[in-house]
Amino acid sequence: IFHPNMGKIVAIDGSVYVAEEIVFHTPAEHKINGQQSDMEMQVIHYGRSKGDIAKQIVLSVLFKSSPGHYNKFLDKIDFFNLPNPIDKMIELQHDFFIPSVFLDSDEDDILSMEPFSFYNYKGSLTAPPCTERTTYYVTADPVPLSNTVIQLFKEALNKPVIVAKDEDGNVKS
């Protein structure tokens, strides 16, 4: 998901980072205590203040499969109509609020944030150009999410296998 401004983070030192990109991974890229979660959502914030232009902050939310759990944030994305390697772009039909990722679909809108914990480390982006000077915040406890939703994301993220056939219909190697 790309947008020029999906919110911002202001660091303790006053540095401003603007969220411009959301990336999904199935399974998750991060492991906690050797356990890999079923899915990960990375909200990538790019530095905007002087001296921070080449820096990023990535907020990584881990998800674990849990029957019957749907997510208020992911519901707004319309996970039944996700972009995929063939249809690479879709227009989002609903506005969304990134912190709602911590709420089940049946919970009321956010009036105040519940406490939650993150692990923090410095590293680099995991996709080209693999920019260093990246700070990660990874949720300490994975958010429960229905396996159906996780499977839909897996299918959307899978690259299709293209099979070449000759004029007789035989598969070329």
Side-chain angles (χ1 to χ4, degrees), residues 70-71 74-82 148-149 152-153:
Y70 290 88
N71 185 275
L74 297 177
D75 284 353
K76 297 279 186 174
I77 292 177
D78 185 12
F79 50 79
F80 290 107
N81 186 31
L82 293 168
T148 302
V149 177
L152 288 168
F153 272 92

Side-chain angles (χ1 to χ4, degrees), residues 1-7 18-22 43-48:
I1 300 173
F2 295 97
H3 189 277
N5 186 0
M6 290 185 271
V18 175
E20 294 183 19
E21 187 175 352
I22 299 176
V43 183
I44 304 172
H45 298 74
Y46 295 93
R48 290 289 176 259

Side-chain angles (χ1 to χ4, degrees), residues 90-124:
I90 62 162
E91 179 108 8
L92 293 176
Q93 301 301 312
H94 306 283
D95 291 336
F96 56 81
F97 182 55
I98 293 172
S100 67
V101 74
F102 297 105
L103 297 177
D104 278 342
S105 291
D106 57 352
E107 292 185 62
D108 291 332
D109 286 336
I110 298 172
L111 298 176
S112 65
M113 291 297 295
E114 295 293 321
F116 52 89
S117 299
F118 287 96
Y119 291 105
N120 172 262
Y121 71 93
K122 295 202 181 290
S124 63

